Amino acid sequence: MNPIRSFADLIPDAVPAAESRQGAERSIAIRGLAAYYGKHKAIEGIDLDIGPGVITAIIGPSGCGKSTLIRCINRMHEVIAGAYATGSVTLDGTDIYTPGSDPVQIRRRIGMVFQKPNPFPTRTVYENVIAGLRLNLPRKSKADYDEVVERSLRSVALWDEVKDKLHDAGTALSGGQQQRLCIARAIAIKPEVLLLDEPCSALDPTATLKIEDLLFSLKIDYTIVIVTHNMQQAARASDRTAFLMADENHVGHLVEAGPTREIFLKPKDSRTEDYISGRLG
Amino acid sequence: MHEQAETRRFARRRASNLMSLLFVVLLASLSVAILLVIVGHIFANGLSSLTLDFFTKIPKPYGEDGGGIAQAIVGTIEMLLLAGLMAIPVGVATAIYLVEFGSGRFAKTVGFAIELLAELPSIVVGVFVWALLVRNVTGYSGIAGSTALAIIMIPIIARSVEEILKLVPNGLREAALALGTPRWKVVLFVVVPTVLPGILTGIMLSLARAAGETAPLLLTSLGNNFFNFNLQKPMAAMPLQIYNYAVSPYDDWHRKAWASTLVLIAIVAIMSGAVKFLTRRWKHESN
Ligand SMILES: Nc1ncnc2c1ncn2[C@@H]1O[C@H](COP(=O)(O)OP(=O)(O)OP(=O)(O)O)[C@@H](O)[C@H]1O
Ligand SMILES: [Mg+2]
């Protein structure tokens, strides 16, 4: 089978969702971003626009700086000792890197889900969902928390599976359930943007499809950025794709970005084509 | 022919494997045997002296039969409590600083200081407290004894808690940070609760070690043959009492030394048993 044609089959037809959300807020503009680990420069010269109402996929070979890039979007990059970033990332027109802006506040607006499911082991399913509220927001009534827990778990399609296990440890769930729990925990504090760094790499195909369906239903409410190693996933689940690659000095650059259909079927850069087809062949 | 050599080599390898296993098991049993001999000896010699009087009376005048170690039990418990009050916050905070916040030169200095403090012989700690506190400020007293014990406990707590905090996967800290949690809250409400049983075990370890210290107390709390609840006065302690009974020429007192040893070991065992019990319940509840 022609691999390229199989991508064409995977990619959904141009999504009108993006248009219907035009003028909506929650858009991100990255300009001249460079990120360092101490002296080592990991990415450089990144210019990328991330629109609301769509899913943006970031793809590229291992070590090209995908995680680094996505962690710069909510200032998680700098929690690693010696790591820092230069350039600008604006959310709705304000630069999150402007001096005096508080990374703690920014992370409440821009949530993140990691590669490895990481529910808090000392907390129950219920407590995991409301962890962000309990840790950082004024105390609310039990009824409010109940409501948040049910709503968040329903929107990650986990409610029916865990409604009888709400008071079991979060780590007692299966890997796929744990990852959906982590997404529920991230959206319980109602961020504007959701960043996901290879959220499905530890999951089986069924659980992966569940998460993809879930992202599809979440994109109306959240600006979503997903890093993935899986070409099929990028093709299936994203509206826009950004392709990153490291140069000979191991510094990651953005090769091209655009609608997923174009990147996969009519890439402008030969490196994009090589990567996409190489992955399949 | 070739095959035969192969089989022989295999047999030889098996034999040498067996030999080395036997050797290791033998030496390992030796450490168990040592423990059994010690515990057995303590029981055999001490058990007969464990009367009610032993726990409720103070020692009799030199050479008289009877009497107990009540004042030493009181002294040890009081001094351990005060020493814990001083050492636990300092030790735990030091470990948290080193693992969760520390980088750069100051953190290196702190880490190095803890390392040195841990290697200080306990008699040196005693001399130091004697020179600085006993001679000029407090005199021989429970406070001075507690201070010496606290100095011994701090590096033990700091190092064990440090090791335990390092075991917390970074993903957990990042999960909390990504929810917009300030660092201090991440440490207090996510990292520490995750390893609380380990932290308590580390604290227990330091208390057990301090409970058996003799040399620094000789120079600081001095010992006392009478009831004393006042930390500002010279205070008895179980290891000191064991020493006093043991160096006497009387058989009855020798038996009392063994019995005191038995009680000291029991106290330590009860404390660590209690921590194990509590942390298991705590784990159970959080599941
Ligand atoms: N904590 C770190 N300290 C130092 N260098 C790092 C650190 N994390 C990543 N790097 C370096 O930064 C570069 C980009 O890494 P990054 O993790 O962003 O790549 P990636 O595209 O996410 O790779 P993968 O697909 O394997 O996850 C690599 O060269 C890596 O060696
Ligand atoms: Mg990565």
PDB file of all heavy atoms in Angstrom, chain B residues 150-174:
ATOM      1  N   ALA B 150      21.387  16.003  70.308  1.00  0.00           N
ATOM      2  CA  ALA B 150      20.830  16.631  69.105  1.00  0.00           C
ATOM      3  C   ALA B 150      21.902  16.777  68.033  1.00  0.00           C
ATOM      4  O   ALA B 150      21.650  16.534  66.846  1.00  0.00           O
ATOM      5  CB  ALA B 150      20.232  17.990  69.455  1.00  0.00           C
ATOM      6  N   ILE B 151      23.119  17.172  68.450  1.00  0.00           N
ATOM      7  CA  ILE B 151      24.194  17.347  67.469  1.00  0.00           C
ATOM      8  C   ILE B 151      24.521  16.011  66.803  1.00  0.00           C
ATOM      9  O   ILE B 151      24.849  15.956  65.619  1.00  0.00           O
ATOM     10  CB  ILE B 151      25.443  17.962  68.144  1.00  0.00           C
ATOM     11  CG1 ILE B 151      25.125  19.382  68.606  1.00  0.00           C
ATOM     12  CG2 ILE B 151      26.636  17.957  67.193  1.00  0.00           C
ATOM     13  CD1 ILE B 151      26.216  20.020  69.427  1.00  0.00           C
ATOM     14  N   ILE B 152      24.398  14.932  67.573  1.00  0.00           N
ATOM     15  CA  ILE B 152      24.645  13.615  66.995  1.00  0.00           C
ATOM     16  C   ILE B 152      23.507  13.221  66.047  1.00  0.00           C
ATOM     17  O   ILE B 152      23.720  12.588  65.009  1.00  0.00           O
ATOM     18  CB  ILE B 152      24.823  12.579  68.117  1.00  0.00           C
ATOM     19  CG1 ILE B 152      26.154  12.850  68.828  1.00  0.00           C
ATOM     20  CG2 ILE B 152      24.782  11.160  67.574  1.00  0.00           C
ATOM     21  CD1 ILE B 152      26.287  12.152  70.154  1.00  0.00           C
ATOM     22  N   MET B 153      22.278  13.633  66.391  1.00  0.00           N
ATOM     23  CA  MET B 153      21.117  13.227  65.591  1.00  0.00           C
ATOM     24  C   MET B 153      20.990  13.988  64.269  1.00  0.00           C
ATOM     25  O   MET B 153      20.528  13.429  63.268  1.00  0.00           O
ATOM     26  CB  MET B 153      19.826  13.427  66.395  1.00  0.00           C
ATOM     27  CG  MET B 153      19.626  12.394  67.502  1.00  0.00           C
ATOM     28  SD  MET B 153      18.321  12.896  68.644  1.00  0.00           S
ATOM     29  CE  MET B 153      16.881  12.708  67.605  1.00  0.00           C
ATOM     30  N   ILE B 154      21.380  15.271  64.271  1.00  0.00           N
ATOM     31  CA  ILE B 154      21.142  16.110  63.084  1.00  0.00           C
ATOM     32  C   ILE B 154      21.692  15.491  61.792  1.00  0.00           C
ATOM     33  O   ILE B 154      20.953  15.335  60.817  1.00  0.00           O
ATOM     34  CB  ILE B 154      21.681  17.545  63.302  1.00  0.00           C
ATOM     35  CG1 ILE B 154      20.752  18.293  64.257  1.00  0.00           C
ATOM     36  CG2 ILE B 154      21.803  18.304  61.981  1.00  0.00           C
ATOM     37  CD1 ILE B 154      21.300  19.631  64.716  1.00  0.00           C
ATOM     38  N   PRO B 155      22.983  15.122  61.762  1.00  0.00           N
ATOM     39  CA  PRO B 155      23.465  14.568  60.482  1.00  0.00           C
ATOM     40  C   PRO B 155      22.812  13.239  60.118  1.00  0.00           C
ATOM     41  O   PRO B 155      22.631  12.954  58.931  1.00  0.00           O
ATOM     42  CB  PRO B 155      24.968  14.399  60.709  1.00  0.00           C
ATOM     43  CG  PRO B 155      25.152  14.385  62.178  1.00  0.00           C
ATOM     44  CD  PRO B 155      24.051  15.222  62.755  1.00  0.00           C
ATOM     45  N   ILE B 156      22.438  12.451  61.129  1.00  0.00           N
ATOM     46  CA  ILE B 156      21.783  11.173  60.815  1.00  0.00           C
ATOM     47  C   ILE B 156      20.438  11.440  60.150  1.00  0.00           C
ATOM     48  O   ILE B 156      20.106  10.857  59.116  1.00  0.00           O
ATOM     49  CB  ILE B 156      21.584  10.332  62.098  1.00  0.00           C
ATOM     50  CG1 ILE B 156      22.931  10.064  62.761  1.00  0.00           C
ATOM     51  CG2 ILE B 156      20.875   9.027  61.770  1.00  0.00           C
ATOM     52  CD1 ILE B 156      22.818   9.330  64.076  1.00  0.00           C
ATOM     53  N   ILE B 157      19.675  12.367  60.733  1.00  0.00           N
ATOM     54  CA  ILE B 157      18.372  12.708  60.149  1.00  0.00           C
ATOM     55  C   ILE B 157      18.566  13.321  58.765  1.00  0.00           C
ATOM     56  O   ILE B 157      17.938  12.907  57.787  1.00  0.00           O
ATOM     57  CB  ILE B 157      17.603  13.683  61.063  1.00  0.00           C
ATOM     58  CG1 ILE B 157      17.279  13.018  62.398  1.00  0.00           C
ATOM     59  CG2 ILE B 157      16.322  14.150  60.384  1.00  0.00           C
ATOM     60  CD1 ILE B 157      16.633  13.940  63.407  1.00  0.00           C
ATOM     61  N   ALA B 158      19.460  14.298  58.693  1.00  0.00           N
ATOM     62  CA  ALA B 158      19.637  15.014  57.425  1.00  0.00           C
ATOM     63  C   ALA B 158      20.013  14.057  56.309  1.00  0.00           C
ATOM     64  O   ALA B 158      19.470  14.111  55.204  1.00  0.00           O
ATOM     65  CB  ALA B 158      20.692  16.107  57.578  1.00  0.00           C
ATOM     66  N   ARG B 159      20.953  13.156  56.611  1.00  0.00           N
ATOM     67  CA  ARG B 159      21.410  12.275  55.533  1.00  0.00           C
ATOM     68  C   ARG B 159      20.359  11.244  55.135  1.00  0.00           C
ATOM     69  O   ARG B 159      20.180  10.951  53.955  1.00  0.00           O
ATOM     70  CB  ARG B 159      22.709  11.574  55.942  1.00  0.00           C
ATOM     71  CG  ARG B 159      23.861  12.569  56.033  1.00  0.00           C
ATOM     72  CD  ARG B 159      25.148  11.967  55.624  1.00  0.00           C
ATOM     73  NE  ARG B 159      25.522  10.851  56.464  1.00  0.00           N
ATOM     74  CZ  ARG B 159      26.692  10.242  56.382  1.00  0.00           C
ATOM     75  NH1 ARG B 159      27.577  10.647  55.499  1.00  0.00           N
ATOM     76  NH2 ARG B 159      26.975   9.242  57.170  1.00  0.00           N
ATOM     77  N   SER B 160      19.638  10.696  56.122  1.00  0.00           N
ATOM     78  CA  SER B 160      18.650   9.686  55.732  1.00  0.00           C
ATOM     79  C   SER B 160      17.473  10.334  55.016  1.00  0.00           C
ATOM     80  O   SER B 160      16.976   9.798  54.022  1.00  0.00           O
ATOM     81  CB  SER B 160      18.195   8.861  56.941  1.00  0.00           C
ATOM     82  OG  SER B 160      17.598   9.696  57.892  1.00  0.00           O
ATOM     83  N   VAL B 161      17.040  11.500  55.487  1.00  0.00           N
ATOM     84  CA  VAL B 161      15.929  12.174  54.800  1.00  0.00           C
ATOM     85  C   VAL B 161      16.358  12.619  53.404  1.00  0.00           C
ATOM     86  O   VAL B 161      15.588  12.533  52.444  1.00  0.00           O
ATOM     87  CB  VAL B 161      15.413  13.365  55.636  1.00  0.00           C
ATOM     88  CG1 VAL B 161      14.367  14.145  54.866  1.00  0.00           C
ATOM     89  CG2 VAL B 161      14.827  12.882  56.953  1.00  0.00           C
ATOM     90  N   GLU B 162      17.608  13.052  53.280  1.00  0.00           N
ATOM     91  CA  GLU B 162      18.116  13.455  51.965  1.00  0.00           C
ATOM     92  C   GLU B 162      18.022  12.281  50.979  1.00  0.00           C
ATOM     93  O   GLU B 162      17.520  12.423  49.859  1.00  0.00           O
ATOM     94  CB  GLU B 162      19.564  13.924  52.100  1.00  0.00           C
ATOM     95  CG  GLU B 162      20.155  14.471  50.816  1.00  0.00           C
ATOM     96  CD  GLU B 162      21.635  14.797  50.939  1.00  0.00           C
ATOM     97  OE1 GLU B 162      22.193  14.683  52.054  1.00  0.00           O
ATOM     98  OE2 GLU B 162      22.232  15.152  49.914  1.00  0.00           O
ATOM     99  N   GLU B 163      18.491  11.123  51.421  1.00  0.00           N
ATOM    100  CA  GLU B 163      18.444   9.948  50.541  1.00  0.00           C
ATOM    101  C   GLU B 163      17.005   9.617  50.145  1.00  0.00           C
ATOM    102  O   GLU B 163      16.732   9.258  49.002  1.00  0.00           O
ATOM    103  CB  GLU B 163      19.067   8.726  51.240  1.00  0.00           C
ATOM    104  CG  GLU B 163      20.573   8.807  51.398  1.00  0.00           C
ATOM    105  CD  GLU B 163      21.271   9.187  50.100  1.00  0.00           C
ATOM    106  OE1 GLU B 163      20.977   8.545  49.072  1.00  0.00           O
ATOM    107  OE2 GLU B 163      22.084  10.140  50.117  1.00  0.00           O
ATOM    108  N   ILE B 164      16.094   9.750  51.113  1.00  0.00           N
ATOM    109  CA  ILE B 164      14.697   9.405  50.845  1.00  0.00           C
ATOM    110  C   ILE B 164      14.063  10.401  49.875  1.00  0.00           C
ATOM    111  O   ILE B 164      13.350  10.018  48.951  1.00  0.00           O
ATOM    112  CB  ILE B 164      13.921   9.340  52.166  1.00  0.00           C
ATOM    113  CG1 ILE B 164      14.303   8.054  52.906  1.00  0.00           C
ATOM    114  CG2 ILE B 164      12.436   9.379  51.930  1.00  0.00           C
ATOM    115  CD1 ILE B 164      14.154   8.143  54.381  1.00  0.00           C
ATOM    116  N   LEU B 165      14.349  11.691  50.067  1.00  0.00           N
ATOM    117  CA  LEU B 165      13.772  12.700  49.166  1.00  0.00           C
ATOM    118  C   LEU B 165      14.275  12.504  47.737  1.00  0.00           C
ATOM    119  O   LEU B 165      13.559  12.752  46.779  1.00  0.00           O
ATOM    120  CB  LEU B 165      14.119  14.106  49.650  1.00  0.00           C
ATOM    121  CG  LEU B 165      13.423  14.564  50.924  1.00  0.00           C
ATOM    122  CD1 LEU B 165      13.919  15.941  51.344  1.00  0.00           C
ATOM    123  CD2 LEU B 165      11.913  14.602  50.734  1.00  0.00           C
ATOM    124  N   LYS B 166      15.522  12.040  47.625  1.00  0.00           N
ATOM    125  CA  LYS B 166      16.077  11.826  46.283  1.00  0.00           C
ATOM    126  C   LYS B 166      15.331  10.712  45.550  1.00  0.00           C
ATOM    127  O   LYS B 166      15.395  10.618  44.328  1.00  0.00           O
ATOM    128  CB  LYS B 166      17.557  11.468  46.378  1.00  0.00           C
ATOM    129  CG  LYS B 166      18.464  12.660  46.574  1.00  0.00           C
ATOM    130  CD  LYS B 166      19.907  12.192  46.486  1.00  0.00           C
ATOM    131  CE  LYS B 166      20.869  13.274  46.909  1.00  0.00           C
ATOM    132  NZ  LYS B 166      22.144  12.662  47.351  1.00  0.00           N
ATOM    133  N   LEU B 167      14.672   9.839  46.305  1.00  0.00           N
ATOM    134  CA  LEU B 167      13.945   8.737  45.670  1.00  0.00           C
ATOM    135  C   LEU B 167      12.623   9.198  45.052  1.00  0.00           C
ATOM    136  O   LEU B 167      12.041   8.485  44.244  1.00  0.00           O
ATOM    137  CB  LEU B 167      13.633   7.646  46.702  1.00  0.00           C
ATOM    138  CG  LEU B 167      14.817   6.871  47.253  1.00  0.00           C
ATOM    139  CD1 LEU B 167      14.342   5.832  48.254  1.00  0.00           C
ATOM    140  CD2 LEU B 167      15.567   6.187  46.125  1.00  0.00           C
ATOM    141  N   VAL B 168      12.151  10.373  45.448  1.00  0.00           N
ATOM    142  CA  VAL B 168      10.876  10.848  44.896  1.00  0.00           C
ATOM    143  C   VAL B 168      11.075  11.174  43.420  1.00  0.00           C
ATOM    144  O   VAL B 168      11.941  11.970  43.079  1.00  0.00           O
ATOM    145  CB  VAL B 168      10.387  12.105  45.642  1.00  0.00           C
ATOM    146  CG1 VAL B 168       9.127  12.653  45.005  1.00  0.00           C
ATOM    147  CG2 VAL B 168      10.164  11.789  47.099  1.00  0.00           C
ATOM    148  N   PRO B 169      10.311  10.529  42.536  1.00  0.00           N
ATOM    149  CA  PRO B 169      10.530  10.779  41.115  1.00  0.00           C
ATOM    150  C   PRO B 169      10.247  12.242  40.760  1.00  0.00           C
ATOM    151  O   PRO B 169       9.310  12.840  41.280  1.00  0.00           O
ATOM    152  CB  PRO B 169       9.534   9.853  40.418  1.00  0.00           C
ATOM    153  CG  PRO B 169       8.627   9.337  41.466  1.00  0.00           C
ATOM    154  CD  PRO B 169       9.259   9.543  42.790  1.00  0.00           C
ATOM    155  N   ASN B 170      11.082  12.779  39.886  1.00  0.00           N
ATOM    156  CA  ASN B 170      10.942  14.173  39.501  1.00  0.00           C
ATOM    157  C   ASN B 170       9.598  14.457  38.844  1.00  0.00           C
ATOM    158  O   ASN B 170       9.063  15.552  38.950  1.00  0.00           O
ATOM    159  CB  ASN B 170      12.070  14.554  38.554  1.00  0.00           C
ATOM    160  CG  ASN B 170      12.802  15.770  39.035  1.00  0.00           C
ATOM    161  OD1 ASN B 170      12.354  16.441  39.965  1.00  0.00           O
ATOM    162  ND2 ASN B 170      13.904  16.065  38.412  1.00  0.00           N
ATOM    163  N   GLY B 171       9.049  13.430  38.181  1.00  0.00           N
ATOM    164  CA  GLY B 171       7.757  13.585  37.520  1.00  0.00           C
ATOM    165  C   GLY B 171       6.667  14.051  38.474  1.00  0.00           C
ATOM    166  O   GLY B 171       5.759  14.776  38.085  1.00  0.00           O
ATOM    167  N   LEU B 172       6.807  13.655  39.733  1.00  0.00           N
ATOM    168  CA  LEU B 172       5.811  14.040  40.722  1.00  0.00           C
ATOM    169  C   LEU B 172       5.898  15.528  41.021  1.00  0.00           C
ATOM    170  O   LEU B 172       4.887  16.221  41.129  1.00  0.00           O
ATOM    171  CB  LEU B 172       6.074  13.237  42.001  1.00  0.00           C
ATOM    172  CG  LEU B 172       4.852  12.721  42.707  1.00  0.00           C
ATOM    173  CD1 LEU B 172       3.998  11.897  41.779  1.00  0.00           C
ATOM    174  CD2 LEU B 172       5.286  11.905  43.902  1.00  0.00           C
ATOM    175  N   ARG B 173       7.137  16.011  41.159  1.00  0.00           N
ATOM    176  CA  ARG B 173       7.312  17.441  41.404  1.00  0.00           C
ATOM    177  C   ARG B 173       6.809  18.229  40.201  1.00  0.00           C
ATOM    178  O   ARG B 173       6.120  19.242  40.347  1.00  0.00           O
ATOM    179  CB  ARG B 173       8.791  17.763  41.634  1.00  0.00           C
ATOM    180  CG  ARG B 173       9.367  17.113  42.868  1.00  0.00           C
ATOM    181  CD  ARG B 173      10.806  17.557  43.108  1.00  0.00           C
ATOM    182  NE  ARG B 173      11.339  16.906  44.289  1.00  0.00           N
ATOM    183  CZ  ARG B 173      11.960  15.725  44.271  1.00  0.00           C
ATOM    184  NH1 ARG B 173      12.150  15.100  43.124  1.00  0.00           N
ATOM    185  NH2 ARG B 173      12.387  15.184  45.389  1.00  0.00           N
ATOM    186  N   GLU B 174       7.133  17.730  39.000  1.00  0.00           N
ATOM    187  CA  GLU B 174       6.726  18.464  37.796  1.00  0.00           C
ATOM    188  C   GLU B 174       5.215  18.467  37.656  1.00  0.00           C
ATOM    189  O   GLU B 174       4.635  19.469  37.229  1.00  0.00           O
ATOM    190  CB  GLU B 174       7.395  17.854  36.561  1.00  0.00           C
ATOM    191  CG  GLU B 174       8.909  17.985  36.599  1.00  0.00           C
ATOM    192  CD  GLU B 174       9.535  18.012  35.226  1.00  0.00           C
ATOM    193  OE1 GLU B 174       8.975  17.358  34.323  1.00  0.00           O
ATOM    194  OE2 GLU B 174      10.567  18.685  35.060  1.00  0.00           O
TER     195      GLU B 174
END
